[in-house]
Every structure is written in C-alpha cells, then in structure tokens.
Amino acid sequence: MGRRTQGGSALLKGRSRPLAPDYRTGVDRKELKILRERFLTLSETRFERILEQYNDRQSVFLSVLPVLFHVNHPLLPGFTTRSAPCGIVNFSIDKPRLKQLQRLSRSFQHQPADKLTRPDVIGLYIMGSPGTLAQSSSSDIDVWLVYRNGLTVEAISALDAKAKAVSAAAAELGIDLHFFPMNAARFRKQAQQRQADSEDSGTAQHYVLLDEFYRTCVYLAGAWPLWWLIPPDCEKSYDATARLLAEKRFIRSGDYVDFGGCREVPENEFIGAGLWQLYKSIDSPYKSLLKLSLMECYARRSELLDAPEVSTMPLCVSFKAQIYRDEVAADQLDPYLMLYWYLERCLTHLNMSERLALVRQSFYLKAGTRLSRRAGSARADWKARLLQQTVDGFGWSADFLRYLDRHDQWKTNEVVVEQRRLVQALTASYRFLSSLARSRQATAAISARDVHLLGRKLYAQFQRKAGKLELINSGINSDLSEQQLTFELVINEGGAQWEVKNAEHQLLRESESLIELLAWCHLNGQLRPHTSVRMVVDDRRDAEQAAQFHAYHAISLAELQQLIQTLNSEIGFTASDMPAAPQASYLEPATLRKTIIFLNVGVDPLARLTEKGLSKVSNRTDPLSFSEERVGLVSSVDLLISNSWNEVSVLRFESGDTLMQCLRFLLASKNSTLPVVVCFCHSRALALSQRVGQLCRQLLSTSWDRYVIEQDKRRFLLERDTNSAGNNAEVKLLALDDAAALIQALGRPRARFMKLVIDDYALGKHTLKAVAPLNEAEAIQICFDYSQANRAGYWVFDAFGTLCSGETAWGSSWIGDSTGRRCSNGLLTFIRNALDKLQMQIGVVPQGAVSQINCFIVGDLPVRRGLTVSARDETQNAQQLARETTRRTSPVSLEHQTWEGELTEIRIVAHVLDPADRGLDSFTLNGCILGFDLYCEHMEFAHKTGLDGSIAELARYLSSGVRGEAAVGSTLRPFTITDLSLPVDASGDRIGRELADYLRCRDWVERGLWRNATASL
C-alpha cells in the first residue's frame, strides 16, 4: 500500500482528538488530512496483518501489486500487452517498492516516464476478511479494481484480461486473488452490468456490499474513498455534503473516488442478499450465517428502536463514527469483532438466544484459531489474544472449547447434526427476509436472471427429494473417512432393510437400497480405499418365513467389493472434490450427466435352483424372456444418476415391471448418455448386463416413436408422446398381455407419424415383427400374407404409422391361384378411394400427406447362421435348420393384376343410427353407431333393424347364383369391397378421420358376409 510520510504521522499524533466537522460553517483542511491519515493508518495495520499469513515471496507479490497495474512491462507478472490500460492515480514507484520488484524480476529496470496525464486506474482496494480476525491461511483476497470514466469497451476488456493474468500469477505462488473491475460512477448508479457467479454477487446486493466494503476496506493505491470525509451524522445527507466539499474546492476531485453513501440497507435487497448468502453457505456456512444474521438484524431495525445500545444505521457508519472519535485501535475496529458485538447486542435484545449461541460458534470457527491448543502462546499472537478476550465472555466450558477445536475430526453423525442446525438457521433467516420484503411489496433489487441462477443452485444443494443423496460435508469437515464400515441386512417379516454402521457400531444411515448406502458413503467420503468393509445379515424371521425367500436377498462380500469398485471407477470424485458445475448449466433445466444401472443387487432370480445347486439350461437365452417359461430374470433395478446441477440420486425399482419402469424414467428424462449397466448376481449376470446394455443402446441411440419389448410373457409398448408445440413431452408405457392387444394398441389414431421399432428379441416369428420395418412417413405400406389357404392377411400402415390388419377371404372353388392377387388389388382400390375422400374432407394437403403406396408380401424364409453347439450330429442339424426360419417381406407390384369382370364389386354407404336402431350388423366407430347400405350390381341392400340386416341380405344374394350358377362347393360368389362413404356426426365432424377407420369398417362388413354365408349352410 501507499507509504505515508513521517510528517503525516506526526500530524496524526499531534491531533489525537474526536472530530465532528460541520462543513456548513467552514472546513479545516488540517482536519480533513487528520481524518484521511486515521483511515490510512488503520489500512496500513491491516495490510501488515495480511502479510503475516504469507511467506516472503507471497508478501513481496502483494506489496508490489499496485505496480503491476501502474506500468505495463513484459518482465512483470501479469503482463498481457503494452496497450492494456495502466497508470494509477496519485501513485509512484518508490525505492523500497522498486527493490521488492527486483526480487520478483531481477532484470526489471524501471525508467520513470513523464507523468501520465490521465491514469486509467483510479484505485485498488482490498475488501473482506483479509487483515481481520476472520482471515485464515485458506482465505482469498478480493480486490476492487476501479477504472476511470471514458474507457472503451475494448480497453475494459483488456484491463479485465490483465487482472486475470495477475490472478494467475498469484495462484502460482499459492495466493487466491480475485479482481473485480468496476467504474465508481456506474457502481454509484447501480448500473454495473455484472452477473452472479461463484465469486461475484451480481445484482443480488448493492448497499450490503457497500456496507461491507467501507468497514473492511484496505487501501492499496490510488484515490482515497470520499466516504471517509463525510461525517457519520451526515450519512443521510451524503450527496449534499459531498457536493459541498467539491463545489467549495476543499478537496481535489482527482484525489478521491466516490462510491456513494450508505445510510441504510433497503428492503428490496433483502431477498437478493439472502439468496446470495444461502448460496455462499454451501462452501462457507459459518461466514454466511454471520452475514445473513446481520441482514436479519438490519431488517428488524424497527424492533430495535428502544435499544439505545444498538444503532439502527448500517455497521459501517458505526465503524466510521469510532474513527471520528479517535478510537482507531486496529483490535477495537476489527470488522469481524465489530460484527459479532453488533449481533450479540441485537440478538440479546430480540431474545434470540439459540441464534446467538450459533452465531458465537460460527464466529469462533470462522476465526480458525484453536484456543485450547494455544494456551501458552495466546499473548504473542494478536488473533489468539483478541479471540481469547472475546470467548472468555461466552461462558464456554473447557470441554466444549476442545470439542470445537477438534471440528476437523468430527465424523458423520456430528457433522449431520451441525449441518442441520446451520441449514435451519440459514433458511429461517432467509424466509424472514423474503417474507418481510413481500409483505411491504418491495421490488427485489436482484435481477430475474440472478434469482433464477441462485435459486437453482440452492435447489440443487438443499432441496430434498426421493432418492436424492444428501451431501453432508459442506464447509464443516473435509475428512469423514471411516476405518471400517459394516453393511448389515436386517430381514424381518415385513421385508428387508440395509444399514451402515461405523467401527463404533453407530448407525450412519439406513435404506432399502444397498446402492444408495454405498453411493452415499462414497460421495460423503466415509468409504475410502483404505476403509475395511464387512457384511452382516440379521435375519429376524422364523424358519418358515425364512424358507420363503432366504436366497432372495443374499449377497456375498465379493459382490459388495465389485459394487464398490464400480462406484470408484464410474464416479471417482467425492463431494469435497466434486468438479463445480458450469455456470451456464444452471440457466437450463437439469439434465442427466451420468447413469449407472445396477441389476439384481442382492437378488438371485433363480434362487430356488441355486439353493439346490442346480442351474437351468435352455435354447431360449434372452434374459428378459428366459427358457420356455419365458420368465424375466430382472428382479430389481437400482438406478444411480447424476445431473448437470451436480445432484446425485439413487432410484430403486423392485416391484412390478422394474426394468420397464427404469427405462421409461430414463427416456422421460431426455437422457442421451448411454448408461453403464452392471450385474454381479449369482445367475446369468454377464448375460443380463449385456442384454440390458444392448436394449439401452437401441432405445437411446436409434430413432423411434414406438418401441416394442417382450419380457416375462408380456409385450411392452413405449411411446413418445408430444405436446402442443410438437416436442417430446412424455414417454408412455403400456403393458400388453398378448400380440392381439399390441396390434390393437398400434391401431390407435395418431396426430403425427410415429415410427415403430420392434426389439430384436421380441415377437419371435410373428408377422408383425416382419412388417414393422415397413412403416414410414408420407407413405401407405400394404403387406399381404398368403400363407393360409383361402384367405389373405393384410397389414396396412398409414402415413402416420397407424396399423390396421385384417383378412380378405375367398371360397375354396374361387377362380384359381390368381384370386388372392385380384382380391388384394381390390383392397388397393379401396384404399385409394378412401385416401381421396380423406383428402377432400380436409380440404388441404394434411400433415402426413400420402406421396406413394407400396405393396409387399410376407412369408417364411430360412435364417442363415451357424449351428449351435447343441447340434451334435447331422439329424440334429437338419432339425435345427428346419426350426430356424423367420418371416421376411419382399416388394410386389399389383398394378398389372385386375379384378374387373372376375370379382363382384361392392360399395358401402354408412349412416349414423340412433341407439334404438342398433342391429346385429351395426358397427361403432369413433363413438358413433353406424349402419351400412350395401350396393352390388345396381342393387341396394339397405340397413334394417333386427336380425335380418343388409349384410345378411347381401350374403344370401351373393350365394344365390342370380347371375349364373355358382361353382360347386362355393358359398359366396367372388367379390371385393372397393368403396366406402362415411357420414358426419351430430356436430358436423367427419366420423372417418383416417385410413384405419375405413379399413375397420371394410373388415367388419367382409367378416359379416362370410359369417352369414357360413351360418346359412
């Protein structure tokens, strides 16, 4: 810092008396100089106390800090470019400082230049705990770097870059140094464009920051704060007094910097300051409790009006008043000691004894001096001496003091209790401040962006939710490691519970999930590489109950070690060394960053066989549908997830469709990171982890909207739903008992194209598995299956991927082998007519407009692959090859096949019926009851109520041989349905909304014709 002349010191000693200048009646410049010297003397003492914490090289660096911003020289630390802003107001490099500079850079030679006409830097000022009772070896140093008005954006950016370079140079020496570039005029107007981050409170607090700056400021170089010269009783008229001094030229404007007055902390800063201190409490809970308690006392000033010992002005005004009264002893004016005494007076008057006790403990631990270990040397150390004098009035016992002094040895249960006390006090203070601000309708000074950012950081740290692992080691003790941990499984009639205990048999945590306990111990540091682990089973059931699921919760010590190794390798870090989440990540919703799936932890899915020393062998090896019984081998799933906000959670799925629930959660979380899948259970562990890993890769790395999985004799349909904006909003999971239910679910109407994917292991040889890959947007895909006699199955995907399936049948004596193709061509004509009607009713080209219609046939083809090891001879090989066939599709053209003249054409006109007119041949579509008028060979078969409807009449007509005798053995004349007209409902909306509606009606009528023909025989 700047050296003061001996004359200045003599002047100070000769004028030691209280000062109360009244500038309205005149100004004594000698008094102004005395006031300035008092502040400078205090700054010099504090700076010397700062240097006591550092070694010689670090002290030299801090001593020459102003020189690094006064000149740009490539040999000096922090040099970036010669064009960077430089020069400090009222500063010159004296011989002692030059000598110190040469200790840092031996080749540096200072050539005094002409006096800078306009220095770019107004001043350098340290603020915060350095030089106070609260400074420790781990304290950082915050420096206000004040630049002049008129600097360009590029110059400010260059100055910021230089400050970062100086900070980097300091870091190499082991000094945690932070610069905050600012413009005094903009700061005074609260126009600094700063955003909250790990070091900067952004817009969260202005007067709170100014209050702390004025009472903790250590002047390094440059202009002196004008606030020093404004008498305490003029704080409320600060601006007018400052103008008076300047206008009457009692001071030179270039000698002083004006950050503004601090008459009070306004209510609109309580919310922002409270949020900021809650956030800072994550790493420094004791320091934050002191500052947040100060905010609460400021907010309760109306309750302190009857307490003469408590000033209702900010603490910095009391600090200034003592200097004006010539109470300038550094111990007496220690900012943290003044803070404590102020809090003690306020909390005592407010009868907040519990808070006072916690404030005392926070004050002592923040000071970082262990008095129980320094009994003989306390007098030689100013910190220990000052702290001892203060603590003597707390009434603490020697045992309690020793307990506090060994806080770095506190273990889990002690830290948990301490953290809960701190969090409770911190949140209570914040709730009071925010409630007070809202009740008085104070508009928060903090920006919406900073509220959003700090709120999310606090949410990530303090919000408790199911499965989230609580981090209990924030700023209290850096080492919670245990020499031994015992994981005990307690089994009783109601179920099983895991407990973890330390070597003293103290219960640390309990959970239904072993993974949750292991991850909690790992993250909070109890489980370290040197920790010895044990497994204990406490089975409290009788013999009959134990026989029901003894092996179900079995876990070996080897499996426990494998689980621990997985956590070490996949997570690696603990809470104390967890990498900080990037600032930008809190501006977005949390996203999954790491996922680990643990299968069957402590579970043997084939326990009954394992107990007997047996294992099951089957050609059906899919672990999700194992053996001919098709049993799923996934009994439980533990999902460990960490997200972009550094939250870590463990979710356990152990009832119902565990794996499907886990997959649905991952998909709904919009996770794109492939999970690590591990399984160490007794039966088929490797096959399980590989199968589930492959399934996760398919779900997360491929494109699909509907995905079909088969597990445990059932089919599961995963569907990605969309919101009104067309974005993926939800993942639905449908459990379906059989293939028919699956086909029905795939036939539900869609608002957009939904791609269907069938899992490689699902549906076996079912035709749906073969035709599913055909569905694509803007195309109608028709697939025919001629594998059954006298009928053709058809599978139709419309432009939205909606599935409709049915059968087109024919009599055994219909026209030769080509009948099936002709019937298929008739179906193709029907589809085209239906598409024309849909196009006309919409009026414009709809989403999913059809650009083409493709036709395919499906049939059985052999699978070409190597034989399994179970095929031991030629006969077995042949049998295996015969079994191993699959259904394949191939494109086919039906355009050259005709049906005119060979098949009787049938057209259908549907109309809406009243419920009373429902008949056997009526059909319900989209909530409307439909009757059908059928037209064949210029004849009309109108719908009738009762048993004898239009379908039955047409069936008799087609079998009567009116147009000639039917072939021998034929029940119906060859026919095809080529057209259908659907009506509107009572509200005027079309009943037929998609192609599937038309196909369902067609299938209903065709099946009715064959049903009636069969019944008449």
Side-chain angles (χ1 to χ4, degrees):
M1 62 179 297
R3 308 288 180 181
R4 295 183 298 108
T5 64
Q6 293 182 353
S9 299
L11 175 66
L12 181 62
K13 292 176 182 177
R15 299 295 183 89
S16 297
R17 58 183 174 83
L19 296 176
D22 184 354
Y23 297 145
R24 294 171 299 178
T25 59
V27 174
D28 185 344
R29 287 186 172 86
K30 291 183 179 180
E31 286 190 348
L32 296 181
K33 190 172 184 179
I34 290 172
L35 288 172
R36 186 183 69 206
E37 291 295 330
R38 287 178 181 177
F39 281 99
L40 289 174
T41 299
L42 181 61
S43 280
E44 188 171 279
T45 302
R46 286 187 183 169
F47 188 71
E48 291 171 354
R49 290 182 171 182
I50 291 175
L51 298 184
E52 290 175 6
Q53 296 288 331
Y54 296 97
N55 60 37
D56 288 345
R57 191 164 180 81
Q58 292 170 330
S59 297
V60 168
F61 186 91
L62 292 175
S63 297
V64 301
L65 198 58
V67 180
L68 305 183
F69 290 92
H70 189 62
V71 296
N72 282 327
H73 197 288
L75 293 180
L76 293 181
F79 175 80
T80 54
T81 173
R82 291 191 181 276
S83 62
C86 64
I88 301 178
V89 169
N90 296 336
F91 181 79
S92 61
I93 304 176
D94 54 18
K95 290 183 178 180
R97 219 176 236 124
L98 183 59
K99 189 174 181 179
Q100 289 177 316
L101 272 173
Q102 290 173 342
R103 291 180 62 184
L104 287 181
S105 176
R106 294 184 180 277
S107 302
F108 175 74
Q109 296 293 329
H110 177 55
Q111 299 295 332
D114 294 337
K115 186 175 181 181
L116 292 172
T117 56
R118 197 176 188 189
D120 292 320
V121 177
I122 301 299
L124 291 169
Y125 316 90
I126 293 175
M127 72 161 293
S129 62
T132 73
L133 195 59
Q135 182 182 4
S136 66
S137 58
S138 61
S139 294
D140 58 357
I141 298 179
D142 295 338
V143 180
W144 282 18
L145 173 58
V146 184
Y147 55 84
R148 66 173 174 83
N149 295 330
L151 278 189
T152 64
V153 174
E154 292 77 13
I156 295 173
S157 178
L159 182 62
D160 185 52
K162 182 177 179 64
K164 287 182 171 64
V166 173
S167 295
E172 293 179 1
L173 297 174
I175 305 173
D176 191 5
L177 184 63
H178 305 277
F179 290 94
F180 298 88
M182 60 165 34
N183 175 266
R186 291 182 61 80
F187 177 85
R188 195 168 58 250
K189 298 175 182 177
Q190 302 184 48
Q192 285 287 121
Q193 298 299 313
R194 304 198 316 271
Q195 295 181 338
D197 57 26
S198 60
E199 296 296 335
D200 196 332
S201 60
T203 60
Q205 46 191 4
H206 175 80
Y207 288 101
V208 171
L209 188 65
L210 191 59
D211 172 40
E212 182 181 359
F213 172 78
Y214 280 146
R215 56 190 167 84
T216 65
C217 169
V218 175
Y219 169 86
L220 292 181
W224 303 298
L226 179 60
W227 181 82
W228 290 355
L229 303 185
I230 307 300
D233 55 359
C234 295
E235 196 70 30
K236 293 183 179 180
S237 57
Y238 176 92
D239 291 336
T241 306
R243 282 197 304 271
L244 178 65
L245 287 173
E247 290 172 357
K248 294 195 174 183
R249 300 183 181 180
F250 294 127
I251 60 172
R252 292 185 300 176
S253 60
D255 291 344
Y256 290 88
V257 58
D258 186 6
F259 297 110
C262 190
R263 57 182 294 183
E264 65 176 359
V265 176
E267 293 171 348
N268 65 354
E269 286 196 9
F270 291 158
I271 293 178
L275 271 175
W276 175 249
Q277 290 306 328
L278 276 180
Y279 165 63
K280 294 295 286 184
S281 73
I282 296 172
D283 297 318
S284 304
Y286 299 114
K287 179 180 178 181
S288 292
L289 179 67
L290 295 173
K291 292 188 175 183
L292 200 54
S293 297
L294 177 63
M295 289 302 98
E296 185 172 352
C297 290
Y298 283 171
R300 294 180 182 271
R301 52 181 172 252
S302 62
E303 303 175 46
L304 299 170
L305 294 175
D306 59 343
E309 72 279 9
V310 179
S311 171
T312 58
M313 296 287 283
L315 197 52
C316 66
V317 180
S318 299
F319 164 79
K320 181 162 60 171
Q322 287 187 243
I323 291 181
Y324 273 64
R325 292 196 299 268
D326 197 28
E327 299 170 3
V328 294
D331 290 354
Q332 193 176 9
L333 290 175
D334 186 274
Y336 271 83
L337 190 58
M338 289 187 68
L339 170 62
Y340 167 72
W341 289 122
Y342 179 81
L343 292 177
E344 183 185 79
R345 292 192 294 270
C346 291
L347 296 175
T348 299
H349 184 80
L350 296 169
N351 294 319
M352 299 175 68
S353 56
E354 289 186 11
R355 175 68 66 81
L356 177 58
L358 192 55
V359 162
R360 284 174 170 170
Q361 182 175 321
S362 299
F363 170 77
Y364 180 76
L365 292 174
K366 180 65 181 76
T369 300
R370 303 180 188 187
L371 294 179
S372 65
R373 304 180 186 181
R374 304 173 65 94
S377 59
R379 293 182 179 179
D381 185 341
W382 71 269
K383 286 184 64 177
R385 171 180 47 78
L386 191 57
L387 188 60
Q388 184 70 66
Q389 293 172 358
T390 308
V391 170
D392 285 345
F394 292 174
W396 288 350
S397 67
D399 288 341
F400 184 70
L401 192 61
R402 282 192 292 270
Y403 169 76
L404 293 181
D405 283 346
R406 68 170 187 85
H407 69 275
D408 59 343
Q409 300 173 23
W410 289 350
K411 291 304 179 184
T412 301
N413 291 339
E414 294 169 308
V415 171
V416 167
V417 171
E418 181 75 357
Q419 177 161 295
R420 287 176 180 169
R421 289 179 64 214
L422 288 167
V423 170
Q424 183 179 6
L426 286 163
T427 53
S429 230
Y430 173 69
R431 288 193 188 103
F432 169 78
L433 292 172
S434 58
S435 175
L436 178 68
R438 285 193 298 269
S439 67
R440 299 184 182 176
Q441 299 181 343
T443 302
I446 185 172
S447 70
R449 183 261 186 196
D450 286 351
V451 167
H452 200 56
L453 178 69
L454 295 176
R456 282 182 165 176
K457 287 184 176 182
L458 293 172
Y459 178 93
Q461 179 69 22
F462 295 115
Q463 197 264 351
R464 305 181 74 177
K465 56 186 177 182
K468 181 178 175 180
L469 301 183
E470 180 185 11
L471 304 181
I472 62 170
N473 198 18
S474 297
I476 299 176
N477 181 17
S478 60
D479 182 14
L480 294 181
S481 63
E482 298 283 353
Q483 291 298 319
Q484 177 179 295
L485 289 175
T486 299
F487 293 90
E488 183 173 349
L489 176 63
V490 180
I491 308 175
N492 52 41
E493 184 179 356
Q497 183 90 349
W498 287 95
E499 298 177 350
V500 59
K501 299 177 181 178
N502 60 16
E504 290 75 33
H505 304 290
Q506 296 174 327
L507 177 65
L508 304 183
R509 189 177 177 90
E510 58 186 3
S511 172
E512 294 180 355
S513 169
L514 175 60
I515 296 300
E516 180 180 335
L517 290 187
L518 290 172
W520 182 80
C521 290
H522 173 82
L523 282 173
N524 286 298
Q526 294 96 337
L527 186 58
R528 295 285 188 165
H530 66 266
T531 304
S532 171
V533 294
R534 297 175 60 240
M535 268 292 306
V536 176
V537 178
D538 180 9
D539 196 339
R540 301 174 182 176
R541 303 162 298 170
D542 56 36
E544 181 179 352
Q545 295 169 346
Q548 295 178 5
F549 62 101
H550 171 72
Y552 189 76
H553 289 93
I555 184 172
S556 65
L557 185 59
E559 183 179 345
L560 180 64
Q561 293 285 8
Q562 288 175 310
L563 293 172
I564 294 172
Q565 289 173 9
T566 300
L567 290 172
N568 287 335
S569 61
E570 297 298 336
I571 299 180
F573 55 78
T574 63
S576 59
D577 56 10
M578 180 184 294
Q583 195 79 355
S585 64
Y586 291 103
L587 299 176
E588 302 291 338
T591 56
L592 296 190
R593 185 179 59 187
K594 181 80 173 181
T595 56
I596 309 175
I597 296 176
F598 296 87
L599 301 174
N600 293 348
V601 174
V603 175
D604 184 355
L606 299 176
R608 297 304 177 196
L609 294 177
T610 302
E611 286 180 331
K612 299 176 183 179
L614 302 175
S615 61
K616 181 178 286 189
V617 178
S618 173
N619 285 333
R620 189 175 182 86
T621 59
D622 179 14
L624 304 187
S625 188
F626 183 66
S627 78
E628 293 304 316
E629 298 175 1
R630 303 199 174 189
V631 60
L633 300 185
V634 178
S635 299
S636 71
V637 179
D638 290 88
L639 177 65
L640 187 147
I641 56 177
S642 65
N643 64 25
S644 55
W645 295 358
N646 275 350
E647 294 177 293
V648 181
S649 303
V650 174
L651 304 179
R652 181 167 176 82
F653 307 89
E654 60 177 343
S655 61
D657 304 309
T658 55
L659 179 60
M660 296 301 113
Q661 296 171 33
C662 174
L663 294 176
R664 180 182 178 276
F665 174 84
L666 286 177
L667 294 168
S669 302
K670 299 179 177 61
N671 176 45
S672 59
T673 303
L674 290 177
V676 176
V677 183
V678 294
C679 181
F680 304 112
C681 69
H682 184 82
S683 300
R684 304 191 69 81
L686 180 60
L688 271 168
S689 60
Q690 290 178 341
R691 173 70 174 98
V692 174
Q694 176 264 343
L695 181 57
C696 290
R697 284 192 296 274
Q698 284 288 108
L699 290 170
L700 296 173
S701 303
T702 61
S703 173
W704 59 271
D705 298 294
R706 296 171 294 172
Y707 197 97
V708 176
I709 305 170
E710 189 171 332
Q711 176 184 287
D712 213 5
K713 302 177 184 178
R714 290 191 295 168
R715 285 79 178 169
F716 294 88
L717 177 62
L718 288 164
E719 290 189 346
R720 283 194 174 113
D721 202 0
T722 56
N723 54 24
S724 58
N727 301 316
N728 289 338
E730 183 183 359
V731 176
K732 295 180 179 178
L733 174 65
L734 297 178
L736 306 163
D737 291 331
D738 51 35
L742 173 62
I743 292 170
Q744 184 178 2
L746 295 175
R748 292 199 308 269
R750 310 290 172 189
R752 64 178 180 93
F753 173 72
M754 298 189 71
K755 182 179 180 179
L756 173 65
V757 175
I758 309 294
D759 184 66
D760 292 343
Y761 290 82
L763 298 184
K765 299 180 183 179
H766 197 283
T767 304
L768 176 57
K769 186 168 186 175
V771 303
L774 300 177
N775 79 116
E776 60 182 59
E778 299 185 1
I780 302 296
Q781 308 286 69
I782 310 171
C783 190
F784 297 98
D785 181 3
Y786 299 117
S787 60
Q788 301 184 62
N790 302 333
R791 66 186 62 204
Y794 64 84
W795 303 77
V796 180
F797 287 102
D798 68 9
F800 296 106
T802 303
L803 174 66
C804 187
S805 65
E807 291 182 344
T808 294
W810 53 84
S812 59
S813 300
W814 281 20
I815 308 170
D817 295 336
S818 62
T819 302
R821 293 298 179 91
R822 293 192 176 99
C823 287
S824 299
N825 230 321
L827 176 62
L828 185 59
T829 301
F830 178 88
I831 289 174
R832 285 174 172 157
N833 289 335
L835 291 174
D836 289 341
K837 290 182 173 62
L838 289 170
Q839 181 78 11
M840 289 187 292
Q841 77 180 39
I842 296 174
V844 295
V845 177
Q847 179 185 3
V850 178
S851 61
Q852 58 183 337
I853 300 176
N854 302 314
C855 295
F856 302 84
I857 58 172
V858 62
D860 290 334
L861 295 172
V863 178
R864 295 185 178 181
R865 59 185 179 188
L867 301 179
T868 65
V869 294
S870 62
R872 298 179 180 177
D873 54 32
E874 294 288 337
T875 303
Q876 289 178 329
N877 286 350
Q879 291 173 348
Q880 183 176 334
L881 285 173
R883 287 194 304 267
E884 292 193 352
T885 59
T886 187
R887 310 226 76 194
R888 304 268 182 96
T889 60
S890 57
V892 63
S893 175
L894 298 177
E895 294 299 329
H896 65 282
Q897 299 288 347
T898 60
W899 53 266
E900 292 89 345
E902 301 292 342
L903 303 177
T904 301
E905 179 183 1
I906 297 174
R907 294 178 296 107
I908 308 171
V909 176
H911 50 88
V912 180
L913 299 177
D914 291 327
D917 295 332
R918 180 192 296 270
L920 291 178
D921 58 353
S922 59
F923 178 70
T924 301
L925 178 67
N926 295 330
C928 296
I929 302 172
L930 300 180
F932 299 106
D933 294 340
L934 308 177
Y935 296 85
C936 176
E937 296 181 336
H938 307 293
M939 298 184 66
E940 178 183 0
F941 300 85
H943 173 80
K944 298 179 181 179
T945 59
L947 297 177
D948 196 17
S950 58
I951 295 178
E953 282 195 12
L954 179 58
R956 285 195 296 272
Y957 174 76
L958 291 174
S959 61
S960 64
V962 171
R963 290 182 55 190
E965 295 185 4
V968 177
S970 177
T971 57
L972 289 178
R973 195 186 328 154
F975 70 89
T976 184
I977 300 173
T978 60
D979 195 25
L980 168 64
S981 296
L982 291 173
V984 297
D985 59 18
S987 62
D989 295 328
R990 286 282 181 178
I991 295 175
R993 299 162 190 166
E994 57 181 354
L995 177 60
D997 292 337
Y998 284 82
L999 289 171
R1000 291 188 188 100
C1001 290
R1002 184 186 192 277
D1003 188 61
W1004 170 263
V1005 172
E1006 182 163 343
R1007 289 177 184 273
L1009 290 172
W1010 285 104
R1011 185 174 59 250
N1012 279 278
T1014 304
S1016 64
L1017 293 177

